[in-house]
């Protein structure tokens, strides 16, 4: 069985062909360059102008014919309305034209499922840190539940905004990581953990207002925000009694964040896993694979029910495949 997955929640439009065996046959990306921050309409226009060629490329690279496709899966939410709508329209058209079923996938759950496919993780706590999202998710009592999340912006967005203010190109995350290596002094920044939730904007403002070197500011932002995430992840582990941490989202490519999570899991006798970079960032393979799991366990939707869900919550999904 061949599944085509379409991703388009934010800056990346992606198309992938995955087999029911879990083999990823193609995984195509096109990313809207958000120099001035993401503009939803423009990102959607970007996706509209790339989706057809991406579909063709994905099918060609997979070495199949479009008639071989058995299922269409798309990112139903959460995300930016115009982007979601563009990609959902393409998914509906494909499903109708090929006369195959349609499945709407929750983007955050897909990050977790692709991690389970690509790594040895079986029942992990997911620390998902991307541009727009920061969440700690785990499967308990037959649903994926959010144990902690950002109360304002995603950590990636915060890093990119800070970077823009100090003259770094987008994406600023990797540049901040480089600069942080030269940091020596830990500046006092607000440590914003509220229960199991976190906040980042105050930290950004404080770092922008500090009279300190860029190296120290980058270093302090990383140390503070990553420590917050590590603390909340550790508490989620303890609470759920799980012994695996899975990382997902673009920010987890940061080696310092990985190191902190590694140390914490080591001390607890737990394991930690990071999928390959192409499966950490927004990608369509995760949508195709999760779509397959859903379909295989009896879930699909009609075109009429396939409305996008901008605020689609992880715990709204009835998990039929676990
Ligand atoms: P995503 O939204 O999952 O596609 O990830 C994109 C985000 O990841 C952007 O906000 C980037 O700045 C951030 N990012 C990428 N690489 C790194 C890194 N090495 N350290 C911190 N953030 C990063
Ligand atoms: Mg994502």
């Amino acid at each position: 069985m061949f599944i085509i997955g379409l991703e388009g929640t934010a800056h990346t439009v992606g198309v992938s062909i995955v087999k029911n065996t879990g083999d990823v046959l193609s995984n195509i990306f096109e990313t809207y360059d958000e120099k001035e921050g993401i503009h939803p309409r423009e990102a959607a226009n970007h996706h509209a102008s790339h989706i057809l060629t991406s579909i063709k490329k994905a099918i060609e690279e997979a070495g199949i014919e479009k008639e071989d496709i058995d299922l269409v899966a798309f990112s139903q939410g959460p995300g930016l309305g115009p982007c979601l709508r563009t990609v959902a329209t393409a998914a509906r058209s494909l499903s109708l034209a090929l006369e195959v079923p349609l499945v709407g996938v929750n983007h955050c759950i897909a990050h977790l499922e692709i991690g389970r496919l690509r790594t040895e993780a079986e029942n992990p706590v997911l620390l998902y840190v991307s541009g727009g999202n920061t969440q700690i998710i785990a499967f308990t009592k037959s649903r994926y539940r959010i144990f902690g999340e950002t109360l304002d912006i995603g950590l990636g967005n915060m890093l990119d905004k800070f970077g823009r203010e100090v003259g770094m190109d987008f994406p600023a995350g990797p540049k901040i990581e480089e600069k942080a290596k030269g940091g020596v002094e830990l500046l006092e920044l607000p440590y914003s953990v509220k229960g199991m939730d976190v906040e980042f904007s105050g930290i950004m403002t404080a770092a922008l207002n500090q009279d300190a070197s860029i190296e120290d500011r980058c270093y302090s932002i990383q140390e503070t925000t990553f420590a917050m995430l590590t603390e909340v992840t550790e508490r989620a582990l303890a609470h759920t009694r799980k012994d695996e941490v899975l990382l997902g989202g673009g920010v987890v490519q940061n080696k310092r964040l990985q190191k902190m999570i590694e140390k914490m899991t080591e001390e607890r006798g737990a394991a930690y896993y990071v999928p390959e970079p192409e499966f950490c960032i927004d990608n369509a393979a995760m949508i195709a694979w999760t779509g397959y799991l859903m379909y295989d366990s009896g879930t699909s939707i009609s075109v009429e029910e396939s409305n996008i869900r901008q605020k689609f919550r992880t715990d709204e999904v009835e998990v039929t495949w676990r």
Side-chain angles (χ1 to χ4, degrees):
M1 178 170 179
F2 296 101
I3 306 99
I4 190 166
L6 273 62
E7 157 63 33
T9 52
H11 48 61
T12 298
V13 61
V15 183
S16 168
I17 307 283
V18 170
K19 242 183 126 174
N20 59 334
T21 49
D23 293 305
V24 177
L25 305 182
S26 60
N27 197 17
I28 308 294
F29 301 81
E30 292 290 345
T31 299
Y32 160 77
D33 188 1
E34 50 178 291
K35 272 185 219 74
E36 302 296 323
I38 188 160
H39 187 300
R41 267 265 127 249
E42 281 176 20
N45 289 343
H46 164 271
H47 296 358
S49 64
H50 286 97
I51 189 119
L52 273 181
T53 45
S54 298
I55 291 172
K56 285 195 184 124
K57 246 198 235 169
I59 293 173
E60 203 178 285
E61 246 183 52
I64 64 167
E65 303 294 328
K66 65 177 189 302
E67 292 73 24
D68 297 328
I69 294 171
D70 303 291
L71 178 68
V72 177
F74 72 103
S75 53
Q76 196 171 6
L80 303 170
C83 299
L84 290 170
R85 248 170 249 126
T86 302
V87 171
T89 304
R92 288 180 201 119
S93 320
L94 261 180
S95 159
L96 290 172
L98 300 172
E99 298 180 32
V100 298
L102 183 65
V103 184
V105 174
N106 178 291
H107 176 93
C108 308
I109 290 181
H111 272 290
L112 200 146
E113 288 301 345
I114 197 72
R116 295 211 306 144
L117 175 70
R118 302 298 303 187
T119 73
E120 311 264 286
E122 282 174 9
N123 189 11
V125 168
L126 171 72
L127 172 60
Y128 168 38
V129 198
S130 67
N133 294 298
T134 299
Q135 293 186 337
I136 290 112
I137 301 170
F139 184 74
T140 53
K141 300 201 191 104
S142 69
R143 291 205 178 221
Y144 282 108
R145 298 180 194 274
I146 301 170
F147 285 87
E149 63 189 317
T150 178
L151 298 173
D152 49 21
I153 53 177
L155 180 53
N157 279 354
M158 186 275 246
L159 297 173
D160 295 334
K161 271 191 186 174
F162 174 83
R164 198 153 62 232
E165 294 293 326
V166 299
M168 291 173 179
D169 288 336
F170 175 84
K175 285 136 209 153
I176 291 174
E177 181 173 12
E178 265 320 294
K179 288 281 180 209
K181 290 180 185 155
V184 286
E185 193 195 337
L186 186 62
L187 308 168
E188 205 164 301
L189 298 176
Y191 185 91
S192 307
V193 175
K194 308 252 161 89
M196 287 291 282
D197 296 326
V198 291
E199 266 176 4
F200 299 118
S201 347
I203 300 176
M204 183 186 77
T205 311
L208 284 171
N209 291 334
Q210 288 268 2
D211 185 18
S213 71
I214 185 69
E215 287 80 7
D216 281 347
R217 287 192 284 168
C218 291
Y219 169 71
S220 305
I221 287 176
Q222 285 199 171
E223 294 303 301
T224 307
T225 58
F226 296 170
M228 287 160 47
L229 294 177
T230 306
E231 179 194 327
V232 180
T233 306
E234 179 168 20
R235 277 198 275 138
L237 271 180
H239 179 77
T240 57
R241 302 187 183 183
K242 295 191 193 292
D243 58 4
E244 297 173 327
V245 174
L246 174 70
L247 300 181
V251 180
V252 306
Q253 288 169 74
N254 189 294
K255 293 285 178 292
R256 178 63 186 142
L257 175 58
Q258 290 184 11
K259 196 89 213 141
M260 282 198 203
I261 295 291
E262 184 181 6
K263 186 147 188 291
M264 180 273 284
T265 48
E266 254 174 35
E267 283 171 5
R268 294 189 61 86
Y272 99 103
Y273 301 97
V274 200
E276 307 102 294
E278 71 170 296
F279 300 109
C280 268
I281 56 174
D282 286 355
N283 66 90
M286 70 182 192
I287 302 298
W289 176 242
T290 310
Y292 164 70
L293 295 174
M294 293 171 71
Y295 179 73
D296 188 51
S297 60
T299 305
S300 66
I301 50 177
S302 63
V303 165
E304 291 72 29
E305 306 167 290
S306 66
N307 294 343
I308 57 135
R309 300 169 71 173
Q310 290 187 60
K311 303 240 182 288
F312 198 176
R313 297 278 297 177
T314 304
D315 48 16
E316 287 172 50
V317 176
E318 197 188 331
V319 181
T320 45
W321 62 96
R322 286 190 64 169

